[in-house]
Amino acid sequence: MSRSALDLWVGFFVALGLAAILFLALKVGNLSSANAGETYALQAKFDNIGGLKVRSAVKSAGVVVGRVTKIDFDSSAYVAVVSMQMDARYKFPRDTFATINTSGLLGDQFIGFDVGGDTEMLSPGDVIKKTQSAVVLEKLISQFMFNQASDTKDKDKK
Amino acid sequence: MRMATNCCRRRLEVSDNRAVQLLIKLGHQVTSRLWRLGFASRFFLAIFLHSGTSFRRMHLTFREIYFTGVMSLIIILVSGLFVGMVLGLQGYDTLQRYGSAEALGILVALSLVRELGPVVAALLFASRAGSAITAEIGLMKATEQLSAMEMMAVNPIARVVAPRFWGGVISMPLLAALFSAMGVFGGYLVGVVLIGVDSGSFWSQMQATVDFREDVVNGIIKSFVFGVIVSWVAVFEGYDCEPTAEGVSGATTRTVVTSSLAILAADFVLTALMFRGV
């Protein structure tokens, strides 16, 4: 069995295909930015998570510092329990404030960390105490409309 | 043989009754389809049992990868580029109405990696390479080359069928990946270079949304499954065809039709399994 021009073409084809997969993984996908490195778990309880999903980002100062891994419902307190995997390079104070934000007006929802001033840091497995639920746009609009309606009624009475 | 003559005699006896004859025809159709399906499944197993040769004598498989994979490169690359460019144009047209033209990268990449890449590449592969495989094996059968091999104690499944099957299975994921990559490049050409969407947000939004395991790997799994389907249908239709000129042409047509339908049906099942509520 000897080498032939055919082998060269097959090798060229396979190399090209593998390069395409690499391109999809690194340039199109987020394999390069997805941290395969060390992580630690945190939990937070929210009254309402809105449209938050598993794999949503956790950001602090706009930088992605972790991902949502699990969303459960606590049936004893009727709250949502969100589990997160945080990048081990970043530590946060105990009084960190977790809010659910929206990127843009109708964009994806993510958890934002507003850092407090505590000297003690959150350790793996901790539950974040201070949280703020998602802003439900429909509720805001309906409140606004009801207020408007009652305002005009008062004016009519006067 | 005896069963066939029995069947004919019985048909003569009841030929006066139209409804009964129709029923017999229907039953015959169903039985023959089931028969073919059973034979196809056994054939699939036989390919696996006899595929040792195609890996021990790699040059047999390499030859098939050359004919199915390398020769399909041009059609896959060019159509990938054009599909990506069309996606760029159409996607931009819709997205800019909502003021989110920067999401063009997400739209192009996700639709290519998840769906269009594997499916369109597989459809092209079925009509470019699948039909050729069927015609080749069918013609080998028609000119009694397969019987000649058996006479020389060479197993035609090991020597002819299995290398073609594995060549197709190996080529398909690579071709689909090339199609997707080319499509993303086409979308970039139209979106960023031609229309002027911001290059940074095009790539960064794409990278933030497309997940390697969820999207890219699932797309590769899909194209692998399609590769098995197309190659299986192609070698089976060739091996099972009537050894006449008419039979070979019919088998070639059936390969394209059956594998295209099977690809689309399998795509639905795989999509339902992979992307449920993510």
Side-chain angles (χ1 to χ4, degrees), chain B residues 72-120:
Chain B
S72 309
L73 263 183
I74 300 290
I75 187 175
I76 290 285
L77 290 181
V78 172
S79 42
L81 188 69
F82 277 112
V83 166
M85 278 162 46
V86 169
L87 270 179
L89 278 177
Q90 294 280 17
Y92 178 78
D93 188 49
T94 309
L95 285 174
Q96 55 101 320
R97 291 180 201 194
Y98 302 98
S100 48
E102 281 73 30
L104 188 65
I106 301 176
L107 182 120
V108 170
L110 272 189
S111 41
L112 275 166
V113 168
R114 281 185 175 183
E115 285 297 329
L116 288 176
V119 172
V120 179

Side-chain angles (χ1 to χ4, degrees), chain A residues 100-143:
Chain A
I100 295 185
N101 301 335
T102 311
S103 55
L105 192 60
L106 300 165
D108 269 354
Q109 290 195 304
F110 62 92
I111 296 182
F113 276 11
D114 292 327
V115 179
D118 204 323
T119 48
E120 260 183 82
M121 295 292 168
L122 283 166
S123 48
D126 273 359
V127 179
I128 295 173
K129 300 269 165 30
K130 300 206 284 182
T131 62
Q132 189 188 40
S133 296
V135 176
V136 180
L137 210 60
E138 290 88 332
K139 262 188 194 170
L140 272 183
I141 293 173
S142 68
Q143 264 172 10

Side-chain angles (χ1 to χ4, degrees), chain A residues 16 20-21 42 85 91 121 123 148:
Chain A
L16 209 63
I21 292 177
L42 282 182
Q85 283 295 328
K91 299 273 182 229
M121 295 292 168
S123 48
Q148 286 276 314

Side-chain angles (χ1 to χ4, degrees), chain B residues 141-154:
Chain B
K141 192 181 177 185
T143 51
E144 294 184 334
Q145 292 181 45
L146 296 185
S147 319
M149 274 182 191
E150 261 171 26
M151 293 270 286
M152 293 186 287
V154 174

